Amino acid sequence: MAMTYAWLWTLLAFVLTWMVFHLIKMKKAATGDVEAEERSDGATDVIIVGAGVAGASLAYALAKDGRRVHVIERDLKEPQRFMGELMQAGGRFMLAQLGLEDCLEEIDAQEAKSLAIYKDGKHATLPFPYDKKFPHEPVGRLLRNGRLVQRLRQKAASLSNVQLEEGTVKSLIEENGVVKGVTYKNSAGEETTAFAPLTVVCDGCYSNLRRSLVDNSEDVLSYMVGYVTKNSRLEDPHSLHLIFSKPLVCVIYQITSDEVRCVAEVPADSIPSIANGEMSTFLKKSMAPQIPATGNLREIFLKGIEEGLPEIKSTATKSMSARLCDKRGVIVLGDAFNMRHPIIASGMMVALSDICILRNLLRPLPNLGNTKKVSDIVKSFYIIRKPMSATVNTLASIFSQVLVATTDEAREGMRQGCFNYLARGDFKTAGLMTILGGMNPHPLTLVLHLVAITLTSMGHLLSPFPSPRRFWHSLRLFAWALQMLGAHLVDEGFKEMLIPSNAARYRRTYIATTTV
């Protein structure tokens, strides 16, 4: 009998203990929900730091979903920059998904239908092909970045639940590892605060908030030097003209109906001075002779140097891997989150892709104050974005390295092999162009193209017949290609890069985002 009572008391103690823990758990959950509800009752659901392409687009997308958005931008005047001047076809599709494609109108943007490449007197034009799996026309837009930004800002500010304010954010307001808002200086010079359940940091490549959120740093790869040749029109205004010049590439393209952008990439450790005229001399003496004389490319390149010395500008090309933020109540996006070499002009496309995915994931969540659920969504977002971001990051990095002119026979063989692969104009070229245009963000397909380019380059080195020296250089080329690709497989993740189902999931996610 005593044994029976002992078992009964043990069972009763277990049941009571379970009930107590269960009640405590329910109370904590209820307290968390109440806290979230209280925070959501404020005047703002989301604070967005920065109103560039990413910030303004996100503000519009979230506001259309009923969120109350407060955007704080350091300078609301039209930006004067020469990066972000090609909206790839994939980016146009993302704008259409967000209901923002009309922002490409009334800014004198030019259609981008192809890539024209030039090397050692040879030339090929590679059109962006139609892809039956891509539900949009394969045509991008060449444009003035500042005009696009202003159109996006105007569209966002036209919504009654968007507050667009000029101000400089100084710091984030945190409490127990949760970001609750920002401290900023408004246009009147007064320091004030703003609070919201969710803060999104997308203040660009020079972000002063990123360092407090993620353990990451950017690498300066080179400098892009650019200027505008006015009152000019290219013979082929619908192509992005890429010249395989030495030591680094030149790019020429039409940004408005009568303005042409000329860009030369220069090494980070030997950039000539713009102020004392060294840059002008460098462009005239070193770069202009390498611009093809056919058509009017060289003529426009030289005309811009002579007329636009005060307008010559330089900007650093940067690379930075994406890293998840451990803190809750905050998300990092755009160039503050992930950067790559601009040679394939896909930064805006990746940012808009991220916004489509994130908006789609946040839509079912009625309360952004539930930081745990938002944190789980951000983790899912980080994986789902990989097919687009990993494809673009890998292609940009490898392409930029391969195009560097050098006396190394193996690397020069890869450079020539890359040109040959692109210039052949067959189905392989078309496949790579769908990746470049953002119409087929598939990392595994890109890997196969990179392998094919490597084999093409090795064949070039071994021709017209193999020799020990040529065989040695082909092996070095192969090792270099593996090194470049391997670095991105490690950085982006083997699973994310090589499993086809991830790309299928990405396609389902961003296509599921219906046009507003």
Side-chain angles (χ1 to χ4, degrees), residues 411-425:
R411 297 197 175 198
E412 190 58 31
M414 187 72 155
R415 185 167 175 261
Q416 182 64 51
C418 180
F419 179 86
N420 294 344
Y421 188 86
L422 290 171
R424 62 198 305 172

Side-chain angles (χ1 to χ4, degrees), residues 154-388:
Q154 291 164 10
K155 188 88 181 267
S158 68
L159 301 179
S160 59
N161 50 335
V162 173
Q163 178 190 355
L164 179 58
E165 180 181 8
E166 187 169 274
T168 303
V169 175
K170 297 296 185 181
S171 62
L172 301 170
I173 300 172
E174 296 183 42
E175 184 177 308
N176 299 323
V178 178
V179 174
K180 296 191 172 183
V182 299
T183 299
Y184 69 102
K185 185 174 289 187
N186 61 25
S187 57
E190 302 166 338
E191 189 165 292
T192 184
T193 57
F195 296 91
L198 179 63
T199 299
V200 182
V201 174
C202 45
D203 52 348
C205 61
Y206 298 105
S207 173
N208 63 343
L209 300 178
R210 178 179 62 233
R211 296 173 184 83
S212 64
L213 295 172
V214 291
D215 183 17
N216 206 1
S217 59
E218 70 272 14
D219 295 320
V220 175
L221 306 173
S222 61
Y223 282 85
M224 289 291 189
V225 178
Y227 55 90
V228 172
T229 302
K230 299 181 183 294
N231 303 314
S232 300
R233 190 160 181 84
L234 296 168
E235 289 187 5
D236 179 8
H238 302 303
S239 288
L240 184 77
H241 300 268
L242 176 65
I243 297 96
F244 284 50
S245 50
K246 301 177 181 180
L248 301 174
V249 299
C250 288
V251 188
I252 302 174
Y253 50 94
Q254 195 86 38
I255 54 173
T256 68
S257 56
D258 62 353
E259 293 178 308
V260 176
R261 173 70 72 187
C262 301
V263 180
E265 185 179 7
V266 297
D269 58 354
S270 58
I271 178 170
S273 170
I274 295 176
N276 64 13
E278 288 180 1
M279 181 62 73
S280 179
T281 301
F282 169 77
L283 294 172
K284 285 182 181 179
K285 300 290 181 65
S286 299
M287 305 311 295
Q290 300 184 65
I291 306 299
T294 56
N296 58 351
L297 290 174
R298 186 184 296 178
E299 174 189 341
I300 288 177
F301 189 88
L302 286 169
K303 177 184 176 184
I305 300 171
E306 294 166 357
E307 296 180 355
L309 179 59
E311 298 295 329
I312 295 179
K313 297 180 180 179
S314 68
T315 186
T317 68
K318 298 183 177 182
S319 175
M320 184 181 71
S321 302
R323 294 288 182 268
L324 268 176
C325 176
D326 294 331
K327 296 179 181 178
R328 293 186 177 185
V330 64
I331 300 173
V332 187
L333 284 180
D335 284 348
F337 176 52
N338 188 198
M339 290 183 281
R340 78 287 305 158
H341 195 286
I343 188 64
I344 63 171
S346 296
M348 293 190 296
M349 179 174 68
V350 173
L352 292 169
S353 170
D354 287 349
I355 290 166
C356 283
I357 296 169
L358 188 60
R359 191 273 296 267
N360 212 32
L361 292 173
L362 288 174
R363 263 181 168 171
L365 189 62
N367 185 0
L368 298 181
N370 192 323
T371 57
K372 183 181 184 306
K373 288 185 178 179
V374 171
S375 180
D376 291 341
I377 283 173
V378 171
K379 291 176 183 177
S380 297
F381 155 76
Y382 185 75
I383 299 300
I384 295 172
R385 74 183 292 270
K386 280 291 184 176
M388 173 64 86

Side-chain angles (χ1 to χ4, degrees), residues 372-411:
K372 183 181 184 306
K373 288 185 178 179
V374 171
S375 180
D376 291 341
I377 283 173
V378 171
K379 291 176 183 177
S380 297
F381 155 76
Y382 185 75
I383 299 300
I384 295 172
R385 74 183 292 270
K386 280 291 184 176
M388 173 64 86
S389 63
T391 300
V392 169
N393 292 343
T394 303
L395 180 57
S397 175
I398 292 180
F399 203 33
S400 66
Q401 293 179 68
V402 167
L403 294 188
V404 176
T406 175
T407 56
D408 186 301
E409 288 190 43
R411 297 197 175 198

